[in-house]
Amino acid sequence: MLSEKMEKALNKQINAELYSAYLYLSMASYFESVDLEGCANWMKAQTQEEMIHAMKIYDFVIERGGRVLLDAIEAPKQEWDSALAVFEHAYEHEKYVTSLINDLMNLAIEEKDHATQIFLQWFVSEQVEEEASASGVVQKLKLAGGPDGKGGGLFMVDRELGQRPLPVPMPQE
Ligand code: FEO
């Protein structure tokens, strides 16, 4: 059984993961508007990843006999100045999510909730990957497109980001 405090904190994290999905979908839509289809594909894959994160926590709360209570999701930013600005934002956002996961882990330790600690270990490792993948694209864009990321190599990076497979393939028409 989850403590009330732990249940509330996990519910808050479901909201944060859904917000992340919403933010990345907004980034995908921005990329669509500036014809960077590969970047849009990368963000759509990221959106699905975040939905998977949210559902993992959802299922865990239910499994532990808790109640999932969904709250309003904040509206995400809609416009950016460049592809580099978007990925820098994504990287900053992932660092923030890492801090949320660390706070959750600290609470689970405080509450002596061993099952939640084990559950959260997956998220601790996942955040290492999440930060690395966003910061990897930032580096690539800087190398390919110069300091503002707008140089000619941007289109090569865009093509590469278009190769990222969707975690949940979309049905074919
Ligand atoms: Fe769910 Fe990108 O962290």
Side-chain angles (χ1 to χ4, degrees), residues 17 24 46 50 53 94 97 127 130:
E17 300 293 345
Y24 292 132
Q46 194 58 32
E50 300 303 346
H53 296 170
E94 285 306 328
V97 174
Q127 279 313 118
E130 291 280 89

Side-chain angles (χ1 to χ4, degrees), residues 14 16 20 28 30 41 45 52 70 76 101 109-112 114 116 121 129 132 142 144 156 163 171-172:
I14 293 173
S20 301
Y30 162 79
N41 171 71
I52 291 168
L70 298 177
I101 297 294
I109 292 168
E110 211 179 283
E111 298 279 300
K112 298 186 171 57
H114 295 246
T116 301
Q121 269 167 16
E129 264 180 51
K142 281 186 176 164
M156 273 165 53
Q163 305 302 312
Q172 300 297 314

Side-chain angles (χ1 to χ4, degrees), residues 1-2 7 10 14 55-68 115-116 119:
M1 189 76 193
L2 290 167
E7 182 179 308
L10 287 166
I14 293 173
M55 289 311 297
K56 262 184 188 284
I57 305 170
Y58 176 106
D59 287 340
F60 179 72
V61 170
I62 304 292
E63 205 183 344
R64 297 286 307 281
R67 171 81 156 94
V68 170
T116 301
F119 170 72

Side-chain angles (χ1 to χ4, degrees), residues 85-150:
V86 179
F87 278 97
E88 278 175 337
H89 185 171
Y91 179 41
E92 285 310 310
H93 182 69
E94 285 306 328
K95 287 197 279 186
Y96 169 66
V97 174
T98 299
S99 77
L100 297 181
I101 297 294
N102 289 342
D103 289 347
L104 270 179
M105 182 62 104
N106 289 339
L107 179 65
I109 292 168
E110 211 179 283
E111 298 279 300
K112 298 186 171 57
D113 184 341
H114 295 246
T116 301
Q117 286 172 47
I118 291 168
F119 170 72
L120 288 173
Q121 269 167 16
W122 183 88
F123 282 87
V124 171
S125 312
E126 177 72 1
Q127 279 313 118
V128 175
E129 264 180 51
E130 291 280 89
E131 283 189 30
S133 70
S135 108
V137 180
V138 168
Q139 293 316 316
K140 260 183 209 146
L141 284 172
K142 281 186 176 164
L143 278 172
D148 67 353
K150 289 181 179 172

